[in-house]
Amino acid sequence: GDDFIYPNTALLAVRALATDQLSGSFPNVTVLISNGINNPADVALSILNEVGVDNSLIDTAKFDEWRTFCTNNGYTCNLYLDTTTNVRKALDFVATCGRARIEQFGSHFSVIADMPNAIPVQGFMFGMGNILEDSFKEEFLPIADRANVIEVTYNDEDNDYEKTVVEVSNDT
């Protein structure tokens, strides 16, 4: 057994006979790595736990609510980190998959999700009754100056998890 510890690292060992088929090079090996969770709330909790955040510092009620919201809406996160990143960036990416933001309040962590509220939130309506005469102005960005293309890069499950770029444009 190996006495070394490799936290947050998937390890793979390949044992192969040195034959003429290898001809001095390494064999190509494809591996699918999975920890069995894909709910963004659970992925975020896993990241927090892996970096040593104690559960007593996590607002579990908010994470439970977010987990249910993600499950009910089919939001998933199949995250594969192939570059070094920090915890904040990883949490931001995971939270985006579940329409949320993970916030740190001192040493405590909570989540703010973009989900419907049972109790209406205070809102404001502006109309002729509460706008000063001749003070209302409205400006729009010209259509020619607006962004009309988005590129999404993802690992395509149907193409052996190769990085795939999809471009979507609005040509109107």
Side-chain angles (χ1 to χ4, degrees):
D2 192 349
D3 294 334
F4 294 106
I5 297 173
Y6 303 91
N8 308 313
T9 304
L11 299 178
L12 173 69
V14 176
R15 185 176 295 183
L17 291 174
T19 66
D20 59 340
Q21 289 180 338
L22 292 176
S23 63
S25 63
F26 291 106
N28 286 332
V29 178
T30 303
V31 178
L32 177 61
I33 301 169
S34 174
N35 67 354
I37 59 174
N38 68 359
N39 186 302
D42 292 325
V43 174
L45 285 171
S46 176
I47 291 171
L48 289 171
N49 291 147
E50 286 291 328
V51 298
V53 176
D54 190 80
N55 282 335
S56 66
L57 301 174
I58 298 172
D59 186 348
T60 53
K62 288 287 188 185
F63 274 87
D64 289 344
E65 186 180 336
W66 183 36
R67 178 185 301 107
T68 302
F69 173 69
C70 290
T71 300
N72 291 344
N73 289 284
Y75 299 144
T76 60
C77 178
N78 295 302
L79 179 64
Y80 170 72
L81 298 174
D82 60 353
T83 59
T84 303
T85 189
N86 61 41
V87 174
R88 175 78 266 156
K89 286 182 181 176
L91 289 173
D92 287 347
F93 180 82
V94 171
T96 301
C97 294
R99 296 183 60 164
R101 171 117 177 117
I102 299 166
E103 291 293 338
Q104 183 175 359
F105 302 100
S107 59
H108 291 76
F109 290 85
S110 187
V111 63
I112 301 169
D114 181 20
M115 60 181 127
N117 290 326
I119 301 171
V121 178
Q122 180 178 1
F124 299 97
M125 181 179 289
F126 296 97
M128 296 312 295
N130 59 1
I131 298 175
L132 296 175
E133 187 175 350
D134 297 326
S135 68
F136 180 76
K137 268 200 297 187
E138 189 174 30
E139 293 182 23
F140 296 98
L141 191 63
I143 290 179
D145 294 340
R146 297 179 193 175
N148 67 348
V149 176
I150 183 171
E151 283 188 356
V152 178
T153 303
Y154 67 100
N155 296 82
D156 188 357
E157 181 180 15
D158 297 330
N159 191 19
D160 203 23
Y161 294 94
E162 290 292 320
K163 283 191 179 182
T164 304
V165 178
V166 174
E167 184 178 286
V168 180
S169 65
N170 181 2
D171 296 327
T172 58

